[in-house]
């Protein structure tokens, strides 16, 4: 017996490798759609808030409420509630493709709020200077707000990616697959502590990698 | 030419309208350096922002080159703003862009220019403000004075006819302030553009402005040529600003132990450097004590202002001779 088999007698390594791949696919797919939906939503929140470029307090109130509601629902419940929606969009209710819909709906409002906060950090004077130069709101968003808040946006993306790792693991419980599913099925339900240990260790490594990539990018783009 | 016609601004605070600026009538001529001085909260920042409509007047109108711009919107408003440069107390540069990209920013906003044209214009502007060697640096790597020079280069990029300066030197040390003011005066002379600057320092007005308006609690309380306002301030607020500039704040015309009437003599132009007092003394035999004074320049015009105690039998003759030489005399109450 090899040392690996001695230490972790129950583990089927190819299955672990497949689960890693599934987790990465779910993470990549859901992160992509979270950014695509959350960034405009965050910009919209920022622009419509009181005292901002396109202040519309009532619209802001509605957007803010929707974001808060989606953020308050525990992700595990959101997943189950969204099964009909998932089925309508993807044709399946579980699996990797099925998991991406609730992951995005759970994470996009969270990311949007972080985007809004990052944009508020941009110096108002710089926005005023751009207005004084005759910039349109669109130009202010793309040429001033987003570039100026780039370190904050990267940090927001990192936090969101890490949160998504946690969500994908939860998704495993309702049949999404991935490392979380293994931890739950074999580690928890099947009383195989070595499965629990290996899957959790892999998740820790994944989070560490995401965080250090994020930190490095923030460092590279910080000019203050 | 910029003209305010009864332009006012009020802000809604807790449902009530609070006036920041009472109706102002003011004309700023093309090519002049016009100063607006006031304490913080006097409304000068609001008045400045009415020119490029960062603030809209609550009532009244704003004219630029004879055109009513009060309600300009959309593309029209953006074109108007492109023709008005603005610099700020805290520079307001984009921290994520290099010096060259900051200066190129307004040129890229309005399109229609290729990269080579923009690069050439940026080089020319950085040369003008003396920062050609810093083109690739980021704002965080520059000193305050250098940042303001980038701000000036950026403001001039679109060849505006008006430059607005919002407390442009208030965050700078005295030496840097002097060099930035010199640059502004130079730009005004060479490019002939109208400069409107707001400040709370009379010294800034004295050094670069042709005319000045004094704002106090949203009212223009005094306006005119800088020399007139500076040498003969009428309103209490103006007097305080002038006193601050002379570093004689809080000291009145109280000179204990000095007898005889006190006079303030104001010289301007060539009279400043003529040996007037010694000839008056020789001709009339009066005696004088020099109590306080300052000889300096208002923009390019030399001036002097001396407070004297004067006495002698032929005092009236002496005063007449001084007046005849074109020097203003005021008797100072004591």
């Amino acid at each position: 017996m090899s040392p690996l088999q001695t230490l972790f007698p129950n583990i089927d390594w190819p299955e672990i490798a497949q689960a890693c791949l599934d987790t990465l696919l779910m993470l990549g797919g859901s992160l992509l759609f979270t950014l695509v939906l959350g960034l405009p939503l965050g910009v919209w929140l920022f622009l419509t808030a009181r005292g901002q470029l396109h202040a519309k307090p009532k619209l802001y109130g509605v957007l803010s409420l929707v974001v808060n509601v989606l953020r308050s629902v525990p992700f595990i419940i959101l997943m189950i509630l969204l099964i009909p929606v998932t089925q309508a969009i993807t044709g399946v209710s579980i699996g990797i493709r099925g998991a991406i819909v609730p992951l995005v709906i759970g994470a996009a409002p969270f990311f949007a709020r972080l985007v809004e906060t990052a944009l508020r950090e941009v110096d108002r004077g710089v926005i005023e200077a751009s207005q004084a130069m005759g910039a349109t709101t669109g130009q202010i968003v793309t040429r001033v707000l987003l570039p100026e808040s780039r370190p904050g946006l990267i940090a927001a993306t990192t936090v969101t990616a890490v949160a998504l790792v946690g969500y994908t693991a939860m998704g495993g419980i309702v049949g999404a697959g991935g490392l979380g599913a293994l931890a739950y099925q074999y580690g928890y339900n099947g009383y195989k502590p070595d499965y629990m240990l290996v899957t959790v260790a892999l998740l820790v490594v994944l989070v560490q990698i995401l965080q250090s990539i994020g930190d490095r990018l923030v460092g590279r783009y910080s000019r203050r | 030419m910029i003209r305010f016609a009864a332009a006012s601004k009020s802000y809604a605070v807790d449902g009530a309208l609070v006036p920041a600026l009472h109706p102002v009538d003011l004309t700023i001529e093309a090519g002049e350096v016009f100063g607006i001085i006031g304490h913080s909260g006097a409304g000068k920042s609001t008045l400045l922002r009415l020119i490029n409509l960062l603030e809209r007047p609550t009532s009244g109108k704003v004219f630029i080159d004879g055109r009513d711009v009060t309600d300009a919107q959309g593309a029209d408003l953006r074109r108007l703003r492109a023709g008005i440069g603005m610099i700020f107390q805290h520079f307001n540069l984009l921290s994520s862009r290099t010096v060259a990209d900051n200066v190129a920013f307004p040129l890229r906003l309005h399109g229609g220019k290729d990269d080579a044209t923009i690069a050439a214009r940026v080089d020319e502007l950085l040369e003008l403000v003396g920062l050609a060697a810093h083109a690739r640096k980021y704002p965080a790597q520059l000193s305050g004075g250098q940042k303001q020079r980038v701000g000036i280069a950026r403001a001039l990029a679109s060849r505006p006819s008006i430059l607005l300066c919002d407390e442009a030197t208030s965050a700078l040390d005295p030496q840097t302030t002097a060099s930035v003011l010199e640059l502004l005066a130079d730009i005004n002379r060479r490019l002939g553009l109208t400069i409107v600057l707001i400040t709370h320092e009379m010294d800034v007005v004295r050094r670069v402005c042709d005319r000045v308006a004094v704002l106090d609690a949203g009212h223009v309380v005094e306006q005119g040529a800088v020399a007139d306002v500076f040498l003969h301030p009428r309103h209490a607020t103006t007097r305080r600003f002038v006193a601050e500039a002379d570093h004689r704040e809080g000291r009145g015309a109280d000179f204990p132990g000095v007898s005889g009437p006190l006079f303030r003599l104001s010289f301007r132009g060539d009279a400043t450097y003529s040996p007037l007092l010694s000839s008056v003394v020789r001709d009339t035999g009066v005696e004088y004590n020099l109590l306080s004074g300052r000889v300096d320049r208002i923009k390019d015009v030399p001036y002097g202002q001396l407070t004297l105690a004067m006495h002698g039998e032929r005092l009236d003759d002496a005063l007449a001779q001084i007046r005849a030489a074109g020097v203003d005399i005021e008797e100072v109450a004591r």
Side-chain angles (χ1 to χ4, degrees):
Chain A
M1 269 176 123
S2 75
L4 265 182
Q5 281 169 316
T6 325
L7 272 171
F8 307 107
N10 302 311
I11 287 178
D12 174 1
W13 291 101
E15 198 179 8
I16 292 278
Q18 182 60 47
C20 277
L21 190 64
D22 288 353
T23 293
L24 287 176
L25 281 174
M26 276 192 287
L27 176 65
S30 58
L31 186 61
L32 178 71
F33 286 106
T34 297
L35 299 186
V36 167
L37 291 176
L39 189 67
L41 181 58
V43 170
W44 204 16
L45 278 168
F46 172 79
L47 291 176
T48 54
R50 196 178 291 280
Q52 298 296 348
L53 286 174
H54 277 244
K56 295 205 172 51
K58 279 184 192 146
L59 175 62
Y60 179 79
V62 172
L63 287 175
S64 190
L65 181 71
V66 170
V67 164
N68 286 348
V69 166
L70 287 174
R71 287 183 58 197
S72 330
V73 180
F75 181 66
I76 191 99
I77 311 255
L78 189 70
M79 255 185 136
I80 294 161
L81 285 178
L82 284 173
I83 284 175
V85 179
T86 306
Q87 238 161 356
I89 295 177
T90 64
V92 293
S93 57
I94 52 165
I96 295 169
R97 234 164 16 122
I100 286 178
V101 172
L103 285 172
V104 170
I105 292 176
F110 173 67
F111 181 65
R113 204 52 109 176
L114 295 179
V115 168
E116 185 195 3
T117 312
L119 297 181
R120 283 194 181 165
E121 293 296 308
V122 176
D123 186 352
R124 290 197 67 99
V126 177
I127 299 171
E128 190 187 32
S130 320
Q131 284 180 292
M133 286 184 269
T136 61
T137 305
Q139 286 173 327
I140 291 175
V141 170
T142 55
R143 302 182 189 201
V144 181
L145 288 172
L146 296 179
E148 285 291 292
S149 61
R150 189 157 49 190
L153 295 177
I154 294 169
T157 306
T158 310
V159 171
T160 305
V162 168
L164 276 170
V165 171
Y167 288 176
T168 61
M170 263 189 264
I173 298 171
V174 291
L179 289 166
L182 289 190
Y184 182 68
Q185 281 169 24
Y186 301 142
Y188 181 72
N189 285 342
Y191 304 107
K192 289 172 181 162
D194 52 346
Y195 255 102
M196 190 66 96
L197 188 70
V198 169
T199 49
V200 170
L202 286 169
L203 288 172
V204 169
V205 169
L206 179 56
V207 168
Q208 285 290 343
I209 290 171
L210 290 172
Q211 189 66 48
S212 62
I213 292 173
D215 289 347
R216 202 162 298 180
L217 288 174
V218 168
R220 180 190 299 180
Y221 289 111
S222 291
R223 302 279 182 210
R224 281 176 199 278
Chain B
M1 189 195 73
I2 303 159
R3 187 159 69 85
F4 299 97
S8 80
K9 179 74 187 182
S10 304
Y11 294 101
V13 180
D14 298 330
L17 273 184
V18 178
L21 201 61
H22 295 278
V24 168
D25 288 292
L26 201 64
T27 303
I28 297 168
E29 301 296 341
E32 74 175 336
V33 184
F34 193 93
I36 298 166
I37 188 167
H39 292 291
S40 55
K44 54 191 192 298
S45 176
T46 305
L47 185 57
L48 190 75
R49 280 163 174 72
L50 290 180
I51 298 172
N52 60 0
L53 300 166
L54 286 174
E55 300 278 6
R56 300 272 177 175
T58 310
S59 66
K61 299 212 168 292
V62 180
F63 296 86
I64 293 178
D65 294 329
R67 197 188 128 212
D68 179 359
V69 298
T70 319
D71 299 314
Q73 295 289 349
D76 187 33
L77 173 64
R78 289 194 295 276
R79 209 171 313 116
L80 176 83
R81 283 175 172 170
I84 304 176
M86 188 167 188
I87 59 174
F88 303 85
Q89 178 173 8
H90 298 296
F91 325 122
N92 297 353
L93 302 176
L94 286 107
S95 64
S96 59
R97 289 175 196 252
T98 62
V99 166
D101 284 338
N102 265 284
V103 176
F105 186 83
L107 298 171
R108 292 188 180 129
L109 277 185
H110 303 287
K113 293 186 189 69
D114 61 79
D115 287 351
T117 313
I118 290 175
R121 178 74 181 136
V122 168
D123 287 347
E124 185 189 337
L125 287 158
L126 290 179
E127 197 69 48
L128 175 75
V129 299
L131 286 179
H134 300 280
R136 290 169 161 275
K137 288 190 177 167
Y138 285 89
Q141 296 167 283
L142 303 180
S143 70
Q146 289 171 328
K147 284 182 199 170
Q148 195 57 288
R149 284 166 185 272
V150 178
I152 292 170
R154 180 176 71 173
L156 296 177
S158 308
R159 304 183 193 277
S161 56
I162 298 169
L163 178 64
L164 308 179
C165 307
D166 179 9
E167 296 272 7
T169 58
S170 299
L172 304 175
D173 63 61
Q175 216 176 339
T176 315
T177 295
S179 77
V180 167
L181 290 178
E182 209 168 288
L183 176 62
L184 290 177
D186 184 51
I187 287 166
N188 167 253
R189 269 193 301 270
R190 291 203 341 215
L191 308 178
L193 88 178
T194 312
I195 297 183
V196 185
L197 64 83
I198 63 175
T199 180
H200 59 269
E201 290 169 300
M202 199 63 186
D203 220 41
V204 169
V205 170
R206 183 178 65 76
R207 283 192 221 199
V208 291
C209 293
D210 299 304
R211 292 197 305 137
V212 62
V214 183
L215 265 186
D216 185 44
H219 293 276
V220 173
V221 293
E222 194 160 347
Q223 58 167 306
V226 172
D228 293 334
V229 173
F230 199 75
L231 294 175
H232 306 292
R234 289 192 299 272
H235 192 272
T237 304
T238 319
R239 287 208 193 96
R240 212 166 326 122
F241 278 122
V242 172
E244 272 168 24
D246 276 353
H247 309 291
R248 55 178 167 81
E249 209 181 343
R251 276 186 287 144
D254 183 25
F255 300 100
V258 176
S259 61
L262 300 187
F263 300 95
R264 185 178 298 128
L265 278 52
S266 303
F267 308 79
R268 212 188 293 183
D270 295 339
T272 311
Y273 298 138
S274 70
L276 178 66
L277 279 177
S278 55
S279 47
V280 168
V281 167
R282 195 176 54 235
D283 294 350
T284 64
V286 294
E287 295 199 309
Y288 71 87
N289 287 339
L290 182 54
L291 301 173
S292 76
R294 175 181 178 132
V295 179
D296 210 326
R297 282 166 177 273
I298 293 172
K299 204 169 183 186
D300 301 319
V301 181
Y303 80 98
Q305 195 161 50
L306 305 176
T307 304
L308 311 169
M310 234 187 314
H311 44 89
E313 275 174 27
R314 298 179 57 199
L315 180 60
D316 289 343
D317 292 344
L319 295 177
Q321 192 177 343
I322 293 169
R323 280 200 187 94
V327 173
D328 287 322
I329 304 178
E330 291 167 88
E331 181 148 6
V332 183
R334 51 186 305 174

